[in-house]
Amino acid sequence: KQEVTQIPAALSVPEGENLVLNCSFTDSAIYNLQWFRQDPGKGLTSLLLIQSSQREQTSGRLNASLDKSSGRSTLYIAASQPGDSATYLCAVRNSNSGYALNFGKGTSLLVTP
Amino acid sequence: GAGVSQTPSNKVTEKGKYVELRCDPISGHTALYWYRQSLGQGPEFLIYFQGTGAADDSGLPNDRFFAVRPEGSVSTLKIQRTERGDSAVYLCASSFATGGYNEQFFGPGTRLTVL
């Protein structure tokens, strides 16, 4: 069974800092990995999707990397802003067990002004 | 509509009652997914539809849970004889197809509270 772990569980940084969120998974046989943002009481907003054959994806101040063989992904946020405060979730889709996404518990990020 | 919509946004019910939760996927998306998110946890997969058929229902916790998608668009998640442990946010997602590349887009969720 795929286990997805996110570290740290919570993070507080001052505005302007660059930061890295970590995601690890136990089964490297994945189709893709998706990073989401979730604001309190809201649904999930897709940030980046990385195919298993890709090493990284970028969108604006966000950069996600994937090392499938070691079962790791990182989400890099540059020049953090208070509006980045949210919970960030990592999810993987296995290549051999259907279409479900397997989620981590998330990292709760607070960016202080 | 522009995104996935879910109704109601909140549902409060009493233990033992029956509830229905509705999901409207993004127009043209053939795949639809239901997940459940408990407080402090990541979403957990319940069921996936490709078109009208449930292609994978392995995440449904027991036979009190059932979902339909009769016309390949709107889906309804049905919960019979609700229990307090069913309280959670129920999330729906859709994707254009089910190939490896296809991104899942989520709705705002329905918060279910069973008293």
Side-chain angles (χ1 to χ4, degrees), chain A residues 3 13 23 25 31-32 34-35 37 41 43 47 51 55 61 69-70 73 80 83 93 95:
Chain A
E3 300 286 343
V13 299
C23 172
F25 46 94
Y31 255 135
N32 58 43
Q34 219 171 326
W35 281 94
R37 169 188 172 134
L47 298 173
Q51 287 294 87
R55 298 284 296 185
R61 295 182 293 108
S69 61
S70 68
S73 176
S80 58
R93 182 190 155 191
S95 58

Side-chain angles (χ1 to χ4, degrees), chain B residues 26-67:
Chain B
I26 293 171
S27 178
H29 280 194
T30 60
L32 185 146
Y33 314 78
W34 284 98
Y35 293 81
R36 177 168 73 172
Q37 187 176 25
S38 300
L39 192 64
Q41 304 294 315
E44 294 180 323
F45 170 76
L46 296 176
I47 187 170
Y48 146 68
F49 288 88
Q50 176 57 38
T52 60
D56 181 357
D57 64 358
S58 62
L60 294 177
N62 52 59
D63 61 6
R64 296 186 297 105
F65 289 74
F66 189 71

Side-chain angles (χ1 to χ4, degrees), chain A residues 3-102:
Chain A
E3 300 286 343
V4 180
T5 303
Q6 292 187 246
I7 294 173
L11 180 64
S12 180
V13 299
E15 181 177 8
E17 275 203 7
N18 303 324
L19 59 100
V20 174
L21 308 181
N22 297 290
C23 172
S24 61
F25 46 94
T26 55
D27 184 350
S28 62
I30 65 170
Y31 255 135
N32 58 43
L33 182 145
Q34 219 171 326
W35 281 94
F36 293 90
R37 169 188 172 134
Q38 186 171 34
D39 292 282
K42 306 291 185 183
L44 278 64
T45 300
S46 180
L47 298 173
L48 291 163
L49 181 148
I50 310 177
Q51 287 294 87
S52 61
S53 58
Q54 297 175 321
R55 298 284 296 185
E56 65 178 343
Q57 283 285 346
T58 298
S59 176
R61 295 182 293 108
L62 305 179
N63 176 277
S65 68
L66 174 64
D67 184 341
K68 195 176 73 164
S69 61
S70 68
R72 294 182 181 182
S73 176
T74 61
L75 179 66
Y76 175 82
I77 304 177
S80 58
Q81 302 171 357
D84 295 331
S85 299
T87 295
Y88 291 80
L89 291 155
C90 164
V92 299
R93 182 190 155 191
N94 289 3
S95 58
N96 54 8
S97 58
Y99 301 96
L101 290 177
N102 297 278

